[in-house]
Amino acid sequence: MRKTLVMGNWKLNGSKAMALDLVTGLSNQLAGVSGCDVAIAPPVVYLDYVQKLLANSNIILGAQNVDTHLSGAYTGDISAEMLKEVGATHVIIGHSERRTYHKESDKFIAEKFAVLKENNLVPVLCIGETEAENEAGQTEAVCAKQINAVIDLLGVQAFNNAVIAYEPIWAIGTGKSATPAQAQAVHKFIRDHIAKLDANVAKQVVIQYGGSVNDKNAAELFAQPDIDGALVGGASLKADAFAAIVKAAAHAKK
Ligand code: 13P
């Protein structure tokens, strides 16, 4: 059975002092909490530092991005091997902020998925529609297209031991989360879409919801049968709020 994953995406936020505070707070508040996986993805310059802070913790270290190359003349980029060397195991790719601000294409993101799999890292593939696409009834088509880019390059088996984060763009950072029913409908569509190719892959793939998840709405979202945790932005920067979200996931009854 798949295990719920709550992952904090710090985006471009934080400092060493903040990381120390947050990790200390989380370690204290989450001691003894089991039943779901927890990950944090700080900015890349703090990975090594945070890895050391997590030495005696069950919290998983994640990263926010990766390049498709392993080495060479690619100024400013970071490789899968480098992330692995500093202890990251889960890597966010295809976040809408990278699709928008860095013009990352579905094909490029699928290549990132490939390099992560080759290096035994867990891809956390973000997908999701804009508000206009949502209103035009294109949510399923957009999600299918973003997933198909990976399937076309690597086959559906690539989703074994991988994570999909459904993050409707209109819900990110807006305080306007999808309703549990809305999110569940899309999650079910995603799982069914994969199941058409391989039922076993579909059954085990972790599908997180992301977009204005907080300590108030988390429990109801996690109660949905196809919502396997969350990718959390703003609320992951505060130990109290993030710990409450993790506890909601740990206690979720399916
Ligand atoms: P918020 O939780 O701040 O809406 O961000 C969601 C997100 O983009 C996580 O990757």
Side-chain angles (χ1 to χ4, degrees):
M1 203 40 199
R2 52 187 188 265
K3 199 164 179 196
T4 302
L5 171 66
V6 177
M7 183 164 186
N9 174 9
W10 293 8
K11 306 190 181 183
L12 205 170
N13 294 294
S15 61
K16 280 194 176 182
M18 173 271 205
L20 177 60
D21 246 30
L22 190 47
V23 171
T24 308
L26 289 178
S27 302
N28 290 337
Q29 296 197 42
L30 296 179
V33 176
S34 61
C36 78
D37 287 332
V38 184
I40 53 176
V44 71
V45 288
Y46 300 128
L47 282 175
D48 197 39
Y49 177 66
V50 172
Q51 192 273 335
K52 290 183 174 72
L53 297 179
L54 293 177
N56 295 314
S57 150
N58 289 329
I59 298 174
I60 294 165
L61 187 64
Q64 300 177 19
N65 187 29
V66 67
D67 189 42
T68 55
H69 302 94
L70 289 182
S71 64
Y74 304 101
T75 303
D77 281 323
I78 305 289
S79 77
E81 285 174 350
M82 292 171 183
L83 295 178
K84 204 153 78 171
E85 189 171 28
V86 294
T89 58
H90 290 54
V91 183
I92 299 167
I93 53 172
H95 194 284
S96 65
E97 287 147 18
R98 295 210 62 88
R99 292 179 190 262
T100 303
Y101 305 138
H102 299 270
K103 308 280 178 284
E104 294 193 3
S105 68
D106 288 336
K107 184 170 169 288
F108 185 50
I109 294 161
E111 286 165 5
K112 292 186 176 198
F113 199 112
V115 81
L116 293 176
K117 295 296 285 188
E118 281 159 21
N119 286 278
N120 294 318
L121 291 164
V122 179
V124 179
L125 173 70
C126 299
I127 62 170
E129 81 287 0
T130 63
E131 186 154 41
E133 288 164 341
N134 182 275
E135 283 167 2
Q138 293 166 351
T139 299
E140 293 185 355
V142 170
C143 291
K145 177 174 144 296
Q146 292 174 341
I147 289 172
N148 287 348
V150 172
I151 294 174
D152 291 348
L153 184 69
L154 302 171
V156 72
Q157 298 295 328
F159 282 100
N160 271 322
N161 199 23
V163 177
I164 296 171
Y166 169 57
E167 299 206 303
I169 296 169
W170 47 269
I172 296 176
T174 59
K176 193 175 101 183
S177 164
T179 65
Q182 251 176 333
Q184 165 58 24
V186 182
H187 283 229
K188 181 168 184 333
F189 166 79
I190 294 165
R191 202 177 304 285
D192 289 349
H193 182 74
I194 292 173
K196 277 189 262 170
L197 296 171
D198 192 309
N200 290 328
V201 174
K203 219 179 277 173
Q204 62 73 50
V205 71
V206 170
I207 308 179
Q208 298 176 306
Y209 168 77
S212 298
V213 175
N214 58 42
D215 48 347
K216 312 271 178 320
N217 60 21
E220 231 192 314
L221 287 161
F222 298 152
Q224 304 299 312
D226 289 293
I227 299 183
D228 310 321
L231 187 55
V232 184
S236 76
L237 301 173
K238 298 198 175 75
D240 290 356
F242 192 61
I245 295 168
V246 170
K247 286 176 189 169
H251 298 138
K253 297 267 180 306
K254 300 268 166 146

